[in-house]
Amino acid sequence: MTAVATRDMQEKALPGTTVEAPPAATAPSRRTGYLDEVWTASARVEGLQWEMDEAEDVLARAMRNASAAGAGLPDLAIASGMSFADIERLLKDSARD
């Protein structure tokens, strides 16, 4: 069976079959959406900072243990991939905590 739509039929759409575009986001809702992104990104940065602080503490403790066992600054630099100055700074900063 083939249906043929005439111009008269096309002008009279069935109720409830029209598709309307969603309303454009209002300025406050866009602003809130952006702020949600800021909150999320800020929380992620803070979490990563906590992880970095913990990782640096673990590294400093491992370096102190290695140094106490006889490892020299060149050994620590090779093992950590850090410069002498960075190692000394890390050990000095961690000794204050």
Side-chain angles (χ1 to χ4, degrees), residues 3-70:
V4 177
T6 64
R7 191 170 132 213
D8 185 44
M9 292 173 95
Q10 290 172 347
E11 291 173 359
K12 298 177 185 175
L14 295 174
T17 59
T18 58
V19 178
E20 295 181 20
T26 62
S29 67
R30 277 194 308 269
R31 192 168 37 249
T32 301
Y34 292 137
L35 289 176
D36 288 346
E37 291 177 29
V38 171
W39 279 94
T40 301
S42 177
R44 175 139 169 77
V45 167
E46 185 174 355
L48 291 171
Q49 286 172 337
W50 278 89
E51 286 184 47
M52 282 296 296
D53 290 345
E54 177 64 24
E56 285 182 353
D57 289 345
V58 169
L59 178 59
R61 187 170 42 251
M63 285 188 173
R64 282 193 306 273
N65 292 340
S67 180

